[in-house]
Amino acid sequence: MRHIEFGPLPAEDHTDPPDAWPPLLAKAVRQVEEYFRRERRTFDVPLDLTGCTDFQRSVYERLREVGHGRLTTYGELAEAVGNPDSARAVGQAVGANPIPVIIPCHRVVASGNRLGGFSGGLSCKVALLGVENVAVEGVSENARVFPEVLRLDL
C-alpha cells in the first residue's frame, strides 16, 4: 500500500472492477472496509514508504502503535521518536501521511485534547474518531476531544 486519498474518484480515474484488482489492493480495500464497519481495529497490509524521509517513517511507525480509540499529541509523538523539541516537525510529518486510516494520523490531537488539524479535513477526522467511539464536541481545530467517554452501541 502506497497511498490513500479522501474524496470521490474522478470518472476518468476509475480502475478495473474489484475482481480484477491485484491481491494486495483487494486485501487493503477489504481491511479498510472492515474498519469502517467496525469489524477491524488493526491493519496488516505491507506499506510502501519509500518516498518518505527517515524522520517521517519514524513518526509513522510510532503512529501505528497508537491503539484504536486512543489518542496521542504532537508533543508526545515528538518524545516517542526521540526528539522532544520537534512537535512542529512531527505535525508536518503527520500532515504529509500518504496512508491515512492505516497509518492513523487521525489519532493525533493538539495539546489539551483539542482536535487540531487534518489533511483530509476536520469533518473527516471527526468521522474517523467516531468510528473508534471517540467523542468530539464539534468540528473546529479547538473542539475538545473526549477519549475517556465510553460510548456503547446498544
Side-chain angles (χ1 to χ4, degrees):
M1 173 62 49
R2 182 180 304 159
H3 193 80
I4 292 178
E5 288 186 21
F6 295 105
L9 187 64
E12 65 272 10
D13 289 345
H14 281 253
T15 61
D16 296 331
D19 60 340
W21 291 349
L24 184 56
L25 176 61
K27 179 179 181 178
V29 169
R30 184 180 67 253
Q31 288 190 10
V32 169
E33 289 173 342
E34 291 167 353
Y35 167 82
F36 282 111
R37 289 192 308 262
R38 298 178 183 203
E39 298 169 357
R40 173 174 291 277
R41 292 176 169 234
T42 61
F43 299 91
D44 62 3
V45 293
L47 304 181
D48 180 357
L49 297 172
T50 54
C52 300
T53 67
D54 289 340
F55 180 75
Q56 288 172 323
R57 277 193 291 278
S58 69
V59 170
Y60 302 152
E61 287 171 15
R62 176 62 186 108
L63 259 177
R64 292 193 75 196
E65 296 172 9
V66 177
H68 185 275
R70 304 287 184 197
L71 302 176
T72 190
T73 66
Y74 299 102
E76 289 168 345
L77 271 176
E79 286 186 30
V81 298
N83 198 343
D85 296 326
S86 66
R88 283 185 186 235
V90 165
Q92 290 174 333
V94 170
N97 176 8
I99 312 171
V101 180
I102 292 176
I103 298 174
C105 53
H106 60 281
R107 296 178 187 156
V108 182
V109 297
S111 61
N113 277 355
R114 300 291 177 181
L115 190 57
F118 190 67
S119 61
L122 291 180
S123 59
C124 184
K125 183 173 186 173
V126 169
L128 289 169
L129 291 172
V131 168
E132 299 183 18
N133 289 319
V134 174
V136 182
E137 73 175 359
V139 184
S140 73
E141 287 185 15
N142 288 318
R144 296 240 333 134
V145 180
F146 301 97
E148 68 277 4
V149 174
L150 178 61
R151 296 164 76 189
L152 301 174
D153 292 330
L154 301 175

